[in-house]
Amino acid sequence: MDRPAIGMPATATPSVVLRGVGTRYPGGVTALEPLSLTIPAGQFVALVGASGAGKSTLLRTLNGLVPATSGEVVIDGITLSRSTLRAIRARTGMIFQQFNLVGRLNVMTNVLTGRLSHRRGLASLFHRFPREDFDIAHEALDRVGLTDKAWERADRLSGGQQQRVGIARALAQQPRLILADEPVASLDPGTSIEILDLLAAINRRDGVTIVVSLHQPGYVRRYADRVIGLKRGALAFDGPPEAMDDAMLATLYGADAAATSGRGDVGADA
Amino acid sequence: MSVPTRSPTPSGRPPPALILLPVGVVALLVATAPLLDVDAKRLLHAVPALLDFAGHLFVAPDWAYLPDLLRRMLETLEMTLIATLVATVLSMPLAVLAARNASPHPAVFHAARQVLSAMRALPELVWALVFVSAVGLGPLPGILAMALVTVGFMGKAFAEAIEMADPRPVEGVRAVGATRVQVVSFALLPQALPDLVGTTVYVLDHNVRSAAILGLVGAGGIGYDMVMAMRLYEFDRLTPIAVAIYLVVTVLDRLSDRLRARVIHGRGAP
Amino acid sequence: MSRTPLPARPRGLFPVWLTGILALAWLAAYDLELSPETLLYGIDDMAEYFGRYAAPDFRELPRYLVLVGQTLATAFWGTVIALVVALVVAPFAARPVTSGRIGHRVAREGLNVIRAVPDMLLALVFVAALGLGPLPGALALGLHTGGFMGKFCAESMERVDPGLYEALAATGATRAQTAMYVAWPSIVRELAGYTLFIFDRNVRMASVLGLVGAGGIGFALHDTLRLFDYPRSAALIIVLVVTIAIIDMVSSWLRARLTPEGSRS
Ligand SMILES: Nc1ncnc2c1ncn2[C@@H]1O[C@H](COP(=O)(O)OP(=O)(O)OP(=O)(O)O)[C@@H](O)[C@H]1O
Ligand SMILES: [Mg+2]
């Protein structure tokens, strides 16, 4: 039985369970060595590691954008497979470094794409949605403070605004889990804080599990409940942010990076 | 008494490519001349005939023919509109199948590409000849011929436009659990749209020119009258026909230049 | 929880355009007396009709190949003539290169006119003046596509960075020198692309010029179709399709080499 029994509190089911999950790209690159871990519902997890360590791969493995080549991914008690892929993606939001919005469509339509997994009819293909979906999208836009931009083309917005549209799209999915791949790497420090505050609020208020890859130790310490460190595709660290010391950073990033970690929250990523 | 010159190359001689290319072209022209029966004397003799012809062009038009001319011209435009519209609609699904990043399967992709290039292979006039023998004289075979070739052309152009689409928005829509068709509708087509408009306008321009000569084989439009006027040396008809074609083609040419410039210019900032 | 109200949704003109175009098309179909039945009726006939092409007769293949050669030669001559027209006229039609306003206007309009006159009509005229055969066809193609080539080249020249023209003008170079040292060298790559495109088009066109007596494979096809000689027509069509497919492949191979390191934009 994959699903929790009726009446059982949802929080009892862990948000993410990985059992020996490894990923190898078609070219032959092993991006992820088999690893196992459990993320309880409602946790704010920071994923850290040097460039190429496998952070993006791990996040994409969680919603099947990259298929795991070994092991088992279980999201909210449902094992990821071809047949459950859509259902899992439907309740899993994803936020990208480059926002990945459809620039030529307006903000509202971009947010409404979050409803697509619930609308399989012909109408959705012609960009028609029921009233209910507009309400959900409106609500999501309101959360990120962009209601007034609803009819603007997405590519006319600033980077920070586009990322907030990305968050609104994820919210419109009414997600149980949000995956964020370096959501603030293309943004200035002030905007980065706004975006991470939004994610933190979604985590606290709505109890949505959040897994976010971050390059700046300062942000990790400020927002995360738990830190997972990857090194060359293998699990190298798993613990609370307080345990993230210079020695650990040195193992993950090399000695130079650790030395500058004190002011790592400002513009660490070029 | 000419001053000796040299080229700005180490050797002082013109670059080899600059000599070889024209020499090669001229050699090929000479070699193929017998196939064309090129004959200087014949060309010279033609000059008076052409001048005579040009002199005849400036005649008072046959006013009684004007209503017929307008009728034929309207028919030409109607054929163009219908063929282009039908072809645009039909080419969309084919283009999706023929785009590497949207096609459900590589085999489908290759098959669709082959079908499209087969449609494009023969000129409209040949198809028109065939369709006239099949369905009889009139605008219908002309429309069929134009639509067929246009689907081949547009399908390929659309497919290429879809393949040029940025993969990031595609990933964004895929991640919410959208179906393949939804991804096409929300991420691929919106991105390909400016190219689609540009191609459609170009094709419209091309099709008016085709429609104007399809009458040659009895497939409707002004072409039949044009050929008859020319064969019978009815210059009082030929001149108005030529002027009418000139006007329509020129107006469309300008319109397509302007529209294309606007669509390309109006493309969103990066 | 109260939400900020959505701003008023701006009205796009797209539905208006769509309705307008569909209405026009419907009117056109009505006016042409096209009806779904005609087409369905036709489809039934067509299946039977196309069956007649099932047994191509290749006995005259050598003659067909000569005709293909003639068709290709016509297209080649037409393309070279178009190039010559463009070489002479394009600099005058490009604003940054041309000197006189009148010269510019004349060049532009001249290109427009030869582009607007269908090459079939030109071919008819040249056939009347020169007699039957592929030569009038080549002249017609050359003149007509010269209009396209000249326009494309002039537009490319206008897209060249104006700084280049300024730099040469600052040295006191003449207009002709500007054309030779800035305009043409800057658009060599585009020129090659246009030439391929025009040659491609001319091959297709040359294969139908025969309909007005301008030689090539179209002449033969017209004859066999008029005589209801389906086996020979089928053979000719197959020969034509294969020829065009080969030209297509060669030209897209050449085009791929022209694009710098596969960067498309
Ligand atoms: N599509 C792919 N095909 C083949 N190999 C890939 C692909 N994507 C990533 N890789 C490889 O997988 C490994 C892990 O890459 P991944 O993108 O997961 O790292 P990352 O930790 O996200 O790095 P960064 O911080 O630079 O984003 C790298 O060696 C990379 O080259
Ligand atoms: Mg990454």
Side-chain angles (χ1 to χ4, degrees):
Chain A
M1 281 295 287
D2 281 338
R3 292 187 159 279
I6 296 166
M8 208 167 157
T11 42
T13 317
S15 211
V16 176
V17 177
L18 301 184
R19 295 195 192 97
V21 169
T23 305
R24 179 195 299 258
Y25 282 105
V29 182
T30 304
L32 223 49
E33 305 289 353
L35 66 89
S36 300
L37 55 86
T38 300
I39 299 174
Q43 213 167 41
F44 193 120
V45 179
L47 204 56
V48 299
S51 195
K55 303 183 295 295
S56 301
T57 305
L58 178 57
L59 285 167
R60 282 170 168 70
T61 307
L62 293 185
N63 66 355
L65 280 178
V66 170
T69 36
S70 69
E72 187 185 37
V73 178
V74 184
I75 305 292
D76 249 340
I78 304 172
T79 306
L80 187 67
S81 71
R82 276 181 78 98
S83 56
T84 59
L85 183 67
R86 291 249 156 78
I88 285 177
R89 282 185 185 169
R91 305 301 300 276
T92 306
M94 190 161 207
I95 294 164
F96 303 83
Q97 178 182 347
Q98 298 296 336
F99 327 129
N100 294 17
L101 302 178
V102 187
R104 297 188 60 86
L105 296 181
N106 63 32
V107 167
M108 179 58 98
T109 314
N110 270 286
V111 177
L112 282 169
T113 56
R115 304 302 303 157
L116 284 177
S117 53
H118 303 270
R119 306 287 167 226
R120 287 291 145 76
L122 207 57
S124 80
L125 295 185
F126 293 96
H127 298 213
R128 310 283 305 171
F129 292 86
R131 181 83 255 149
E132 184 196 342
D133 286 353
F134 276 91
D135 283 343
I136 292 171
H138 185 178
E139 172 104 45
L141 272 177
D142 221 34
R143 271 300 279 279
V144 302
L146 280 178
T147 310
D148 56 325
K149 302 281 186 199
W151 310 113
E152 300 250 346
R153 256 173 68 156
D155 57 10
R156 299 266 155 83
L157 304 186
S158 71
Q161 288 171 329
Q162 291 196 33
Q163 194 57 296
R164 285 194 278 164
V165 176
I167 294 177
R169 171 170 67 187
L171 282 176
Q173 291 177 254
Q174 302 179 319
R176 302 293 315 138
L177 166 68
I178 289 183
L179 311 169
D181 192 4
E182 301 189 30
V184 297
S186 305
L187 304 175
D188 66 71
T191 318
S192 300
I193 298 280
E194 281 174 34
I195 295 294
L196 290 172
D197 280 346
L198 260 173
L199 288 178
I202 293 165
N203 174 246
R204 304 275 133 76
R205 258 185 37 205
D206 311 59
V208 176
T209 314
I210 295 197
V211 185
V212 49
S213 68
L214 284 172
H215 270 306
Q216 302 90 332
Y219 292 156
V220 175
R221 291 198 184 97
R222 179 159 163 187
Y223 291 98
D225 301 327
R226 173 182 174 188
V227 182
I228 291 174
L230 290 177
K231 184 170 188 178
R232 277 189 234 108
L235 196 62
F237 179 85
D238 188 353
E242 303 81 59
M244 203 173 63
D245 53 14
D246 283 357
M248 171 263 186
L249 288 174
T251 359
L252 285 183
Y253 290 102
D256 292 350
T260 59
S261 75
R263 40 193 173 81
D265 53 345
V266 183
D269 208 280
Chain B
M1 39 154 266
S2 65
V3 187
T5 60
R6 50 178 281 147
S7 294
T9 54
S11 66
R13 280 189 294 275
L18 223 52
I19 304 176
L20 286 179
L21 206 65
V23 168
V25 168
V26 170
L28 206 55
L29 284 178
V30 171
T32 52
L35 275 171
L36 295 194
D37 310 321
V38 179
D39 177 356
K41 232 193 284 159
R42 212 172 131 211
L43 277 170
L44 278 180
H45 281 310
V47 172
L50 284 173
L51 287 178
D52 184 48
F53 175 83
H56 279 103
L57 284 177
F58 300 96
V59 289
D62 173 5
W63 296 111
Y65 170 66
L66 277 195
D68 272 357
L69 171 61
L70 289 180
R71 178 81 211 118
R72 291 282 165 222
M73 219 48 221
L74 184 65
E75 187 176 292
T76 310
L77 290 175
E78 287 171 344
M79 287 166 60
T80 309
L81 176 67
I82 294 178
T84 309
L85 190 68
V86 169
T88 306
V89 173
L90 291 183
S91 61
M92 292 268 200
L94 269 169
V96 170
L97 298 181
R100 215 179 288 271
N101 52 349
S103 193
H105 194 271
V108 176
F109 160 76
H110 285 291
R113 281 282 163 123
Q114 285 308 315
V115 168
L116 290 176
S117 66
M119 288 172 145
R120 252 176 313 134
L122 289 176
E124 290 92 345
L125 265 177
V126 175
W127 283 118
L129 267 176
V130 171
F131 281 124
V132 164
S133 341
V135 300
L137 298 173
L140 181 64
I143 291 173
L144 290 177
M146 273 198 283
L148 194 73
V149 176
T150 307
V151 167
F153 182 83
M154 280 191 160
K156 178 171 178 245
F158 290 178
E160 279 168 0
I162 292 173
E163 284 181 353
M164 302 272 264
D166 183 351
R168 288 174 305 191
V170 176
E171 192 183 35
V173 176
R174 226 152 60 85
V176 306
T179 61
R180 182 181 288 282
V181 195
Q182 285 174 333
V183 170
V184 169
S185 160
F186 280 85
L188 291 172
L189 289 186
Q191 293 193 63
L193 194 71
D195 282 348
L196 303 196
V197 174
T199 312
T200 309
V201 170
Y202 168 83
V203 162
L204 205 60
D205 187 51
H206 173 92
N207 279 353
V208 163
R209 293 167 200 273
S210 305
I213 55 169
L214 283 175
L216 191 61
V217 295
I222 189 82
Y224 180 74
D225 289 19
M226 181 179 83
V227 178
M228 288 323 285
M230 182 64 216
R231 292 235 163 100
L232 302 174
Y233 297 107
E234 289 174 338
F235 291 102
D236 52 352
R237 288 185 174 195
L238 187 62
T239 305
I241 291 174
V243 170
I245 294 179
Y246 169 74
L247 287 179
V248 166
V249 168
T250 305
V251 166
L252 223 80
D253 202 71
R254 299 279 156 87
L255 222 65
S256 92
D257 275 358
R258 197 158 307 166
L259 205 65
R260 215 164 340 168
R262 226 178 79 181
V263 169
I264 292 168
H265 191 75
R267 203 178 270 198
Chain C
M1 274 214 327
S2 72
R3 286 187 231 137
T4 326
L6 280 172
R9 183 174 195 163
R11 295 233 162 265
L13 281 179
F14 179 72
V16 180
W17 276 102
L18 191 66
T19 320
I21 291 174
L22 288 179
L24 265 181
W26 188 81
L27 274 176
Y30 178 79
D31 187 44
L32 292 179
E33 294 169 15
L34 300 178
S35 61
E37 295 104 80
T38 337
L39 195 59
L40 287 179
Y41 205 60
I43 285 175
D44 226 27
D45 286 350
M46 262 186 258
E48 184 273 329
Y49 173 78
F50 283 112
R52 301 184 203 160
Y53 289 89
D57 170 5
F58 282 105
R59 267 174 302 175
E60 284 192 273
L61 190 62
R63 186 170 81 86
Y64 298 164
L65 290 182
V66 172
L67 288 175
V68 164
Q70 203 178 53
T71 305
L72 293 181
T74 309
F76 179 66
W77 274 69
T79 309
V80 174
I81 294 171
L83 258 175
V84 173
V85 170
L87 280 176
V88 176
V89 184
F92 287 99
R95 213 178 302 275
V97 190
T98 185
S99 49
R101 285 182 144 243
I102 300 169
H104 178 249
R105 271 246 89 88
V106 170
R108 274 267 137 133
E109 271 322 305
L111 290 176
N112 280 342
V113 170
I114 52 179
R115 228 175 36 243
V117 181
D119 32 10
M120 271 297 171
L121 180 58
L122 289 174
L124 273 166
V125 172
F126 286 128
V127 166
L130 282 146
L132 296 177
L135 182 60
L139 289 177
L141 287 183
L143 201 57
H144 182 69
T145 52
F148 280 98
M149 197 77 137
K151 181 192 180 207
F152 294 163
C153 289
E155 280 174 354
S156 290
M157 288 175 178
E158 289 180 355
R159 279 195 296 265
V160 172
D161 177 5
L164 298 186
Y165 291 116
E166 271 173 22
L168 212 76
T171 68
T174 65
R175 296 287 164 170
Q177 285 168 336
T178 310
M180 293 310 288
Y181 284 85
V182 179
W184 286 116
S186 307
I187 68 161
V188 173
R189 201 181 286 281
E190 281 110 315
L191 180 65
Y194 298 149
T195 309
L196 277 178
F197 171 77
I198 294 288
F199 180 66
D200 238 41
R201 178 204 176 277
N202 280 351
V203 170
R204 279 159 220 257
M205 211 55 209
S207 64
V208 290
L209 281 176
L211 296 183
V212 296
I217 197 163
F219 205 30
L221 184 61
H222 190 42
D223 276 352
T224 55
L225 275 175
R226 227 175 18 194
L227 301 173
F228 304 107
D229 185 346
Y230 295 108
R232 285 207 186 134
S233 301
L236 278 167
I237 288 176
I238 290 171
V239 169
L240 188 55
V241 168
V242 170
T243 307
I244 289 177
I246 292 174
I247 297 287
D248 241 24
M249 261 154 56
V250 172
S251 82
S252 53
W253 179 78
L254 277 174
R255 212 180 296 274
R257 333 216 80 199
L258 281 174
T259 352
E261 307 101 54
S263 72
R264 306 164 77 192
S265 98

